[in-house]
Amino acid sequence: MHQLRNKRILVGITGGIAAYKTAELVRELSKLGTEVQVVLTEGAKAFVTPMTLQALSGRTVRDSLLDPSAEAGMGHIELARWADRVLIAPASADSMARMAAGMANDLLTTLCLATESKVLLAPAMNQAMWADPATQRNLDELQKVKGDKLKVLMPASGEQACGDVGAGRMQEVSDLLKALADEFETKALTGKKVVITAGPTREPIDPVRYISNHSSGKMGYALAQAAMEAGAQVELVSGPVNLPKPDRINNHSVVSAQDMYDKVHELIDGADIFIATAAVADFRPETEASNKLKKVPGQDTMTLTMVKNPDILASVSNLENNRPNTVVGFAAETDQPLVYGRSKLEKKNLDFVVVNDVSRTDIGFNADHNEVTLLSSVDEKPIGPMSKTKLAEELISEIVKSIK
Ligand code: C5P
């Protein structure tokens, strides 16, 4: 929670019984060294008093838009600019409706319009009020118009102060604190660009046939997700896979190795990290027949001449001017994985090789779990067995350490 020290949080309290929990939140924030300015609506004052919140925040509570003496201190526009974040907890159905309509008929709604800072909204109300289509419409509208300037801290389900059971309880103080702290987390890969290849490639023989492999793309997609969660701009160049396109990642679909090569080189400028998880076909048929190949009577064999595909990974790691700071390859081997992995590290001029023993059927290619060894010129680190999601997080954190 150290992230919250010296931060300026405007805490808006609207009329709801959960307001008593917000008093506790204000106390916790003050203890963490956060500057807290509390703003109460008229409705809030029926549940908590300005005096209580003044004592807990150490600042005069604001509750009126038309208060000349308060405006003479920090005017409402100044107050809106002062806040690093605005947290509205609890946010009543009425305050959400007014915000969704863009109204500014009290100090809090005015501040919400005037601030350029992100607003965190913690709705709390009776479960039927929360479920009402009008409230849900207001919520959708708010999310639509405010975009990433609004974060809704969705209410939890459970027993309510009114005796009902259902969704509508305000999140606990500890969850609200965590959500606020997350806002100021500087993520390890913020500002970094990461290009990742994933999945198999398909090398066409004729219009209906191709050569490919069993790669599922799961490892590459998990790495893309982990890099995005660490704050990176992620460019995911993927061969044909049966996985949903991940959110908040730039997805580029390709088919053949040559397509993948071209797309990677189009994207690589300015990349800090390149991770090649794709199972790229080493060879492709020399020509793609323009019509479907037919069986020839009396001919029991057929010969396809194959030519080598470009090595995408080696081409990136040998870039002269714009080589990414960190280049990572995968080595899927069936025998002597570490020996082949190490030779790949050197031959392809890599910073890391993730070695996979694909002779095992419980890990690797189509599985959800994997167990690897991360090789660098100075280290050899076994990781797993664990889910590909967790493994991806571990690999990204190892890469981050090496950048530092
Ligand atoms: O040499 P090998 O194919 O075993 O190396 C595997 C690594 O090289 C993987 O990271 C794979 O994504 C990458 N690779 C590539 N382009 C190729 C072949 C492999 O990027 N044509």
Side-chain angles (χ1 to χ4, degrees):
M1 295 292 159
H2 61 277
Q3 304 91 328
L4 288 169
R5 199 179 153 66
N6 296 331
K7 294 293 182 303
R8 293 168 166 175
I9 309 292
L10 196 152
V11 176
I13 306 181
T14 73
I17 182 61
Y20 80 91
K21 290 198 206 168
T22 311
E24 175 72 22
L25 174 85
V26 169
R27 180 178 147 76
E28 291 298 323
L29 284 171
S30 297
K31 279 204 291 192
L32 289 166
T34 313
E35 292 183 43
V36 187
Q37 172 65 61
V38 176
V39 173
L40 296 178
T41 62
E42 274 311 299
K45 287 193 271 179
F47 296 90
V48 282
T49 70
M51 187 71 91
T52 310
L53 288 146
Q54 177 174 318
L56 295 174
S57 66
R59 279 171 181 264
T60 310
V61 166
R62 299 284 296 267
D63 56 5
S64 169
L65 182 59
L66 309 169
D67 176 347
S69 63
E71 285 288 312
M74 199 181 336
H76 62 275
I77 298 294
E78 251 174 289
L79 195 54
R81 287 198 194 117
W82 169 89
D84 293 320
R85 289 291 182 278
V86 175
L87 169 70
I88 304 183
S92 62
D94 174 67
S95 65
M96 285 172 60
R98 288 186 293 118
M99 280 176 73
M103 288 175 73
N105 61 344
D106 65 4
L107 179 61
L108 188 58
T109 45
T110 303
L111 288 169
C112 285
L113 285 185
T115 190
E116 287 181 1
S117 297
K118 190 162 159 187
V119 175
L120 282 76
L121 195 74
M125 65 199 73
N126 165 271
Q127 52 85 23
M129 291 173 72
W130 173 247
D132 191 277
T135 304
Q136 292 302 312
R137 181 201 56 208
N138 291 336
L139 177 70
D140 289 349
E141 184 65 18
L142 268 172
Q143 284 177 312
K144 198 169 88 202
V145 297
K146 299 274 187 188
D148 58 10
K149 286 275 185 241
L150 177 84
K151 179 167 183 158
V152 180
L153 307 172
M154 291 297 267
S157 276
E159 197 178 320
Q160 301 199 296
C162 55
D164 277 8
V165 178
R169 274 166 65 109
M170 189 170 80
Q171 290 198 7
E172 295 304 325
V173 169
S174 57
D175 297 323
L176 299 180
L177 281 172
K178 187 167 177 316
L180 278 172
D182 282 352
E183 290 292 314
F184 302 102
E185 188 80 65
T186 31
K187 295 189 170 167
L189 292 181
T190 300
K192 304 272 186 233
K193 175 174 171 182
V194 181
V195 179
I196 301 178
T197 66
T201 64
R202 281 183 189 167
E203 309 302 321
I205 298 170
D206 66 17
V208 296
R209 303 183 179 95
Y210 56 80
I211 295 172
S212 191
N213 58 64
H214 291 298
S215 170
S216 64
K218 284 178 189 164
M219 192 67 237
Y221 277 55
L223 277 162
Q225 178 82 18
M228 179 276 288
E229 273 163 15
Q233 169 200 334
V234 181
E235 307 289 340
L236 176 62
V237 182
S238 173
V241 294
N242 282 318
L243 297 173
K245 297 250 171 293
D247 268 359
R248 288 175 287 158
I249 284 171
N250 298 321
N251 294 287
H252 309 273
S253 298
V254 295
V255 178
S256 68
Q258 187 63 49
D259 296 343
M260 190 174 272
Y261 177 95
D262 294 342
K263 187 50 83 180
V264 164
H265 282 278
E266 191 185 308
L267 295 166
I268 205 68
D269 202 25
D272 300 283
I273 300 170
F274 177 65
I275 309 177
T277 61
V280 183
D282 290 326
F283 293 91
R284 67 173 181 274
E286 186 176 29
T287 49
E288 178 186 353
S290 47
N291 293 313
K292 187 180 167 192
L293 295 174
K294 299 276 188 302
K295 287 182 286 249
V296 177
Q299 193 177 302
D300 290 338
T301 61
M302 91 168 266
T303 306
L304 265 182
T305 304
M306 309 279 282
V307 294
K308 210 161 184 195
N309 272 325
D311 189 315
I312 303 167
L313 178 57
S315 71
V316 169
S317 77
N318 290 316
L319 282 171
E320 275 196 7
N321 299 322
N322 51 349
R323 181 191 191 275
N325 181 71
T326 309
V327 178
V328 185
F330 272 66
E333 303 291 345
T334 51
D335 64 320
Q336 293 188 281
L338 291 184
V339 175
Y340 282 107
R342 199 154 280 291
S343 101
K344 209 158 288 181
L345 187 76
E346 283 156 22
K347 273 199 211 134
K348 296 199 190 190
N349 181 32
L350 306 176
D351 302 286
F352 291 106
V353 168
V354 183
V355 182
N356 241 321
D357 180 349
V358 285
S359 66
R360 292 171 55 179
T361 50
D362 56 330
I363 56 169
F365 269 166
N366 255 308
D368 288 325
H369 285 72
N370 208 352
E371 181 176 355
V372 301
T373 307
L374 183 64
L375 296 183
S376 68
S377 59
V378 292
D379 206 6
E380 186 171 309
K381 186 174 175 154
I383 311 181
M386 55 179 67
S387 73
K388 285 185 176 171
T389 308
K390 185 86 191 79
L391 180 65
E393 284 166 16
E394 295 277 325
L395 289 172
I396 292 293
S397 91
E398 290 298 323
I399 292 170
V400 165
K401 274 190 227 161
S402 82
I403 293 175
K404 279 181 187 156

